[in-house]
Every structure is written in C-alpha cells, then in structure tokens.
Amino acid sequence: MRCKQAEQLIIASSDTTLEPKIRTKLDIHVSGCAKCAGFQKDLAEILTHLHRLPARVPADLLSEPTRAQCHAELSRQNESVAQAGNDTMSETASRWLLMALIGLAVLTAIVAVPIVSDFLRHYSIPNYAIIGAIVLIQNVLMLLFAPVLLRLKILKELPDHGVLNGI
Amino acid sequence: MPSEDGAWIQRIRAHDLSAFDALFGKYQNAVYRFASYLTQNRAEADDLFQEAWLRAVRYLPTSPEIRDFKAWMLTIVVNLHRDALRKKKLWRLFSLPWSKSDTDSDAILENLDYQSHALAADESERVDLGIALDHAIAALPIKLRRIFLLKEIEGLKHVEISAMLGLPVGTVKSLLHQAIRNLRQHLSEFRYK
C-alpha cells in the first residue's frame, strides 16, 4: 500500500467503516510508516480541535429580521396565489357564460327559426328579413347578459394589489 | 431527510408560517456557521445568511422534491458565495490596483474576528491551537475550504458533497485530502514557531 492511498483511507475511515481486509492492510502500513502514522495523528488532532472551536451562531439582531423578511415573503406569495385563484375563478365564470350564450343562441335558432319563418312567410316577408329577425332576437337575449360580462371583464383588469403594496 | 423536515416543508408550501419558524430554528445555526467559515468575514456572513434564507423561501414552493433540506440550504449558500466572489473578482479587475490575492486569504485574515478567547491559563495551548486552526481554515483556497467545511464541520458525506457541488466523488475525496494536507502544513508551522 502506498502512502497516498493510505492517507486517503485514513481520511475515508472518518466517514465510513472500512472493510476488514482494507482496515487490516491500512493498520499494518501505518504501524510501519512514520509519515502515515504522523498523518493519522495530525488528522485526529485537527478533528478533535475542530469540534472544540467556539460556536458561530447568528446574533438575534440578524436572526429576527431575517425571519421577519421570510415571513413577509411567504405572505406575499400567499397573496399572489389568492389573486391568481380569483383570476382563475373569473376566467372560469366567463368561459361558462360564453358557453351558456352559445347554447342559448343554438337553442334559439332551433326553436325560433321554424316559428318565426312560418310566421313571416305567412306575411310573405323575404328570407333575408327572416334571418335578420332571428339574429335580432338572439342579440336582444345576449344584451340581457352583457352587464354581467362587462363586470367580469372590469374585475380582471383591476391593478395588482401586491404591486400597489410595494412588496 | 428527517420526516419532520418533509412535513414542515409541505406545511410551508401551504403557507404555514409556524412550520417555517420550526425549520428556521432548526437550521439557522448550521447555515450561519457554514456561511461564517466560508466567508471568514462577519459582515459577509450576515449578508449571505439573510440572502440564503430569502432565496430558500422564494424557491421552496416551486422547487422539486427536496430530499435533504440542510444540504439544499448549504447549496444555496455555496452558490450565493460563488456569485459574490465572481462579482468581487470583476470589481477588482476594473477598479483596484493590480494585486495578488486570488484566494482572498489576505482580506480574510485581516477581517478574521472569530477568535477563540483564552478561558484559563491551563487551556491556553488548546486555545492557541484552536486559533491556529481557525487561521489555517481561513487560509485554505476557497475550493478546498468549501469541501473541508461541508465534510468536517457540516458532517456531509462524500456522495452528498459530490451531488451538491456537481463534482465526481473521486474529485471530492482528492480535494479533501489536499485540504487536510494544507491544514497539517499550516499547523506544523504553528507548532515550530
């Protein structure tokens, strides 16, 4: 066993248990090599004194403000998540509303078209007028929902409160 | 990772501040100790400590599964310190007269204020050796100091250090070997003074 390998094993033995064969080889080498024996002794001394060095701990003047800043950061993240949640809710609501409106338009077309067509043909009104009448009816129905859609759009475009708070 | 750390991390992700306090209380000393030995400068250690915790809190919600919180925190400290050293080198390049202090050891030793104090006359030799060891650690080149601190002060294993620093295990062992040789050399000079 060479001295370089022996030194590496001496260092490794502080971290893991060496296999018995390797341990034996190392012990034999160290017992016959003053250089490696010195290395082993010095390493033991370094490690002993290392654990006796004075503790280095953060002062309260550092620890407490750091903790407070972290709390502020976590609170800011919490607010951002809640805001994103609200945005998601309004997006979902407007999506449902759009689907409802489309459904209403389809339903209107299915139900109203035959009725209105019959009625208007009875009075010999041209086809383009029939179509125009149906579109008009659908638009009137959509206008009833316009205030709701408008309110949701306004809510989405409000400024971010987190930014206003300066966080 | 201790199971309680995992539970606290989950609670922090659910915005439980008391869980953060528990984790902070458990690891603040280890983080500060590592930062102070790494920088050997109280002001820089304080900055590093604060910045590391803030960064941890910022990235905790979005980080993938954290297997070892202590190792994760120490990795943040290592990365922040690396960035700070890089900025310092650039600053020196453009603003200070040409001088040779790549290892920062001169600046470090000037600012070294974590001195052991003599407790009793019969402990003076032990305390002197402690001070010498402090100086020896401060004088290590940063690459060796980093690995020595992670291994011998923070108690991480070679494999963990290798994963943290992105180095092969063999390189970690080799650098640690070099660090111990350097320390030994420094301490032998102290003994013969």
Side-chain angles (χ1 to χ4, degrees):
Chain A
M1 184 179 286
R2 289 189 180 169
C3 288
K4 188 178 174 185
Q5 191 188 2
E7 286 181 3
Q8 286 172 347
L9 285 171
I10 289 166
I11 295 169
S13 65
S14 67
D15 183 36
T16 53
T17 311
L18 298 176
E19 288 175 23
K21 262 190 200 174
I22 297 174
R23 180 86 241 180
T24 309
K25 278 187 185 174
L26 177 64
D27 290 343
I28 292 169
H29 176 89
V30 168
S31 62
C33 175
K35 185 171 163 244
C36 289
F39 183 87
Q40 191 176 51
K41 181 173 165 276
D42 286 348
L43 178 60
E45 196 176 26
I46 286 170
L47 295 180
T48 304
H49 280 88
L50 201 58
H51 295 113
R52 287 183 192 168
L53 288 176
R56 297 188 183 192
V57 294
D60 286 342
L61 284 175
L62 171 66
S63 175
E64 288 314 308
T66 303
R67 188 199 300 263
Q69 282 180 10
C70 291
H71 278 197
E73 174 63 27
L74 283 167
S75 299
R76 190 195 67 79
Q77 286 174 9
N78 196 11
E79 282 174 21
S80 298
V81 166
Q83 182 70 27
N86 287 342
D87 288 345
T88 309
M89 273 171 58
S90 67
E91 276 175 23
T92 311
S94 60
R95 207 176 301 131
W96 275 110
L97 205 56
L98 190 64
M99 283 170 63
L101 286 172
I102 291 169
L104 187 66
V106 168
L107 205 63
T108 313
I110 291 168
V111 170
V113 161
I115 297 169
V116 172
S117 305
D118 282 345
F119 179 78
L120 294 176
R121 265 199 211 103
H122 183 72
Y123 290 100
S124 306
I125 293 173
N127 284 339
Y128 64 83
I130 296 170
I131 293 167
I134 291 167
V135 169
L136 189 66
I137 293 167
Q138 286 184 337
N139 280 337
V140 165
L141 285 170
M142 282 191 204
L143 270 173
L144 290 174
F145 292 94
V148 178
L149 267 176
L150 208 60
R151 183 173 151 72
L152 286 168
K153 195 164 158 44
I154 287 170
L155 278 174
K156 261 179 92 170
E157 284 170 2
L158 276 176
D160 183 5
H161 291 291
V163 171
L164 288 176
N165 286 343
I167 295 169
Chain B
M1 170 164 71
S3 57
E4 62 178 4
D5 288 1
W8 284 335
I9 289 171
Q10 289 308 316
R11 282 167 57 192
I12 292 170
R13 286 177 173 153
H15 309 286
D16 181 350
L17 295 182
S18 64
F20 171 77
D21 287 344
L23 210 56
F24 183 83
K26 185 175 175 183
Y27 290 112
Q28 60 166 329
N29 287 353
V31 172
Y32 187 79
R33 179 178 60 221
F34 182 60
S36 74
Y37 273 112
L38 201 58
T39 58
Q40 294 293 329
N41 178 298
R42 194 184 292 277
E44 287 180 20
D46 288 359
D47 287 344
L48 203 54
F49 174 82
Q50 265 196 335
E51 190 52 42
W53 279 107
L54 281 172
R55 188 171 279 205
V57 158
R58 250 173 243 142
Y59 293 111
L60 199 59
T62 52
S63 287
E65 170 106 21
I66 297 168
R67 271 180 249 148
D68 185 335
F69 182 79
K70 183 180 173 184
W72 187 69
M73 276 302 303
L74 296 182
T75 309
I76 292 175
V77 174
V78 165
N79 291 338
L80 283 170
H81 186 238
R82 248 191 216 136
D83 292 344
L85 284 180
R86 223 174 274 140
K87 277 182 199 160
K88 244 193 224 179
K89 273 188 182 166
L90 276 173
W91 176 248
R92 277 207 187 108
L93 199 61
F94 291 108
S95 63
L96 295 178
W98 294 98
S99 64
K100 204 170 124 184
S101 57
D102 287 335
T103 61
D104 284 354
S105 56
D106 297 334
I108 287 162
L109 289 172
E110 278 173 18
N111 286 313
L112 189 63
D113 52 7
Y114 295 105
Q115 302 274 348
S116 307
H117 296 288
L119 301 169
D122 57 347
E123 290 181 339
S124 61
E125 195 189 320
R126 177 168 73 80
V127 167
D128 286 344
L129 188 54
I131 294 171
L133 184 55
D134 244 347
H135 279 261
I137 294 171
L140 282 175
I142 189 61
K143 272 187 189 165
L144 302 186
R145 196 188 319 150
R146 212 179 267 150
I147 288 180
F148 178 78
L149 294 174
L150 287 170
K151 174 74 180 62
E152 301 302 348
I153 296 203
E154 298 305 330
L156 300 184
K157 299 205 180 298
H158 293 123
V159 178
E160 290 170 326
I161 298 170
S162 154
M164 265 178 72
L165 301 181
L167 296 170
V169 174
T171 306
V172 169
K173 288 182 180 176
S174 170
L175 290 173
L176 180 64
H177 188 185
Q178 226 176 306
I180 290 170
R181 274 186 162 173
N182 279 27
L183 286 175
R184 206 174 156 233
Q185 171 75 25
H186 191 103
L187 289 173
S188 67
E189 286 166 10
F190 159 76
R191 276 199 199 97
Y192 288 118
K193 274 182 187 167

